[in-house]
Every structure is written in C-alpha cells, then in structure tokens.
Amino acid sequence: MTDNPHSRTWFRVAVVYFAIAVTLGIVMGGSGDHSLMAVHAHLNLLGWVSMSLFGLIGLAYPAITEGRLARCQFWLYNIGLPAMLIALAAQLKGVPRLDPVLGIGSLVTGIGVALFAWLVITRVATRVRL
Ligand code: HEM
Ligand code: HEM
C-alpha cells in the first residue's frame, strides 16, 4: 500500500479520539460513574474506529479522499462530531442548554456520513492502490 496524505490526516485525528475515549473509559471504570458512557462509546466508534476506517479505505481507494467533496466530508465530520459529543456530555451532566447543538451536531455528522457513503459508492471503482 502506498501513501495517502489524506489518510495520514484521518489517522492523526483518529488517535486523538482514541486517547480521549480510553482516558474517559479509565476514568469511568475507576470512578464507577458511567454517566458519560454514550460519550465514551461514540468517541470510540464515530471517532477512533470510523475515522481509522476512512483513512484505511482512503489508502486502498485514494480517489475517495480527494477533491472538493472529500474535503467537505472531512470538515462536516470534524465539526459535527466534536460539537455533538461536547453537547451530549453537557446533556448527560444535566446541562440541557446545549441540546440544540447536539441536534445540529448529530445532523452535520450524519450528513458527513451520507457524503462518505456517496464518495465510496461513486468512486470505489475509480482507482485501486494496493
Ligand atoms: C482501556 C480502555 C477502555 C476502558 C477502561 C473502557 C471502559 C468502559 C466502561 C467503564 C464502560 C461502561 C460500561 C457500562 O456501564 O456498562 C464502557 C462502555 C463501552 N465501551 Fe469502553 N472502555 C475502553 C475502551 C473501549 C474501546 C477501545 C471501545 C471501542 C473501540 C469501547 C467501546 C465501548 C462501548 C461501545 C461501550 C458501551 C457498551 C454498552 O452499550 O453497553 N471501549 N467502556
Ligand atoms: C451521528 C451518528 C450517531 C448518532 C446521532 C447516534 C445516536 C445514538 C443514540 C441516541 C444512542 C442511545 C444512547 C443512550 O441510550 O444513552 C446510541 C447508542 C449507541 N450507538 Fe450510536 N449514534 C450514531 C452513530 C453510531 C455509530 C457509527 C456507531 C458504531 C460504529 C454507534 C454505536 C452505538 C452503540 C454501541 C450504542 C450503545 C451504547 C450507548 O448507549 O452509548 N453509534 N447512539
């Protein structure tokens, strides 16, 4: 597999989510307070796991990570997800003021996912680099 700079960016962001998620998991386990479990789960799954997959899929099919639409997908996801998770943490800690951000953040993340699906479906046959 050859290099893809866009994949490297996804991997760098993914490991930041991984580190935060596992830190939170350890704090949850240690304190016995699991109230932020949904934040931990989605930091891991939408952050670490999904972003690593975006990067890995981009290594195999670089066309999926290139151009304006791919840039748009990157930013939708990376703005929507932190907004969603910060607002979710606030909600779970009894601060409902950020609920609209939770709704909008989820929606923006979801649009990022839909765009990724579109990029994969339309570009997966374009060029293979293995
Ligand atoms: C040292 C690392 C980790 C620690 C200490 C940890 C700790 C925890 C704790 C304490 C819970 C709450 C369990 C409960 O209340 O039932 C939890 C839930 C969860 N963790 Fe982790 N975790 C770690 C790593 C991971 C990783 C790497 C992933 C995914 C890639 C992950 C995914 C999840 C999920 C999906 C849940 C929710 C499970 C459910 O719905 O019942 N965790 N974790
Ligand atoms: C924008 C995208 C997503 C939204 C808005 C969302 C929303 C939710 C909601 C509302 C719950 C119930 C939480 C609760 O009962 O406290 C949940 C649970 C869960 N979701 Fe997601 N989800 C998303 C993406 C994903 C993805 C991509 C994965 C896996 C790759 C995933 C895995 C899980 C798991 C394992 C649970 C059960 C653990 C928990 O309660 O936190 N979710 N999600």
Side-chain angles (χ1 to χ4, degrees), residues 28-54:
M28 282 162 43
S31 65
D33 176 0
H34 296 185
S35 59
L36 291 181
M37 182 178 84
V39 178
H40 165 77
H42 291 90
L43 278 167
N44 267 316
L45 297 171
L46 281 166
W48 163 235
V49 177
S50 299
M51 291 191 190
S52 295
L53 282 172
F54 296 155

Side-chain angles (χ1 to χ4, degrees), residues 72-113:
C72 199
Q73 186 253 336
F74 178 86
W75 285 112
L76 283 171
Y77 203 86
N78 278 291
I79 292 168
L81 186 57
M84 164 179 155
L85 293 180
I86 289 167
L88 177 59
Q91 187 197 66
L92 293 172
K93 286 298 179 189
V95 183
R97 210 176 26 201
L98 293 184
D99 280 1
V101 179
L102 177 55
I104 294 165
S106 313
L107 198 63
V108 171
T109 307
I111 295 168
V113 169

Side-chain angles (χ1 to χ4, degrees), residues 18-29:
F18 192 26
I20 296 171
V22 166
T23 303
L24 178 57
I26 293 168
V27 170
M28 282 162 43

